[in-house]
């Protein structure tokens, strides 16, 4: 996920995307624990995407 894409989203879209990424992170944690995770890099990508979304969402809330 690119930062430019994130900045173009509305706060509602950011919240929805954040929820989806948290669900994905939860599933990835279980896959890793059971040894079924093949794309291990995806865990780091999701974690960084969550951080990007939270940063932009916090900035938009501060402006409002």
């Amino acid at each position: 996920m690119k930062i430019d894409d994130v900045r173009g989203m509305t706060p509602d879209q950011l919240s929805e995307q954040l929820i989806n990424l948290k669900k994905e992170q939860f599933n990835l944690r279980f896959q890793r624990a059971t040894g079924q995770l093949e794309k291990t890099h995806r865990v780091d990508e999701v974690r960084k995407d969550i951080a990007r979304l939270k940063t932009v969402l916090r900035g938009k809330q501060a402006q409002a």
Side-chain angles (χ1 to χ4, degrees):
M1 181 176 299
K2 303 278 185 180
I3 190 68
D4 293 332
D5 298 336
V6 174
R7 287 185 180 137
M9 292 181 182
T10 65
D12 291 335
Q13 290 173 329
L14 289 171
S15 297
E16 288 179 28
Q17 188 68 24
L18 185 61
I19 291 169
N20 291 337
L21 285 173
K22 287 200 174 223
K23 286 179 184 178
E24 183 178 354
Q25 184 183 35
F26 180 79
N27 290 331
L28 289 172
R29 278 201 318 257
F30 267 94
Q31 288 177 6
R32 182 170 37 180
T34 59
Q36 298 175 348
L37 185 60
E38 294 179 8
K39 298 180 182 177
T40 56
H41 68 279
R42 187 68 185 138
V43 176
D44 291 335
E45 287 177 357
V46 169
R47 186 172 50 96
K48 289 177 183 178
D49 286 345
I50 289 172
R52 281 188 196 104
L53 286 173
K54 283 184 172 182
T55 300
V56 172
L57 185 61
R58 182 78 174 175
K60 287 188 179 207
Q61 289 174 346
Q63 288 178 353

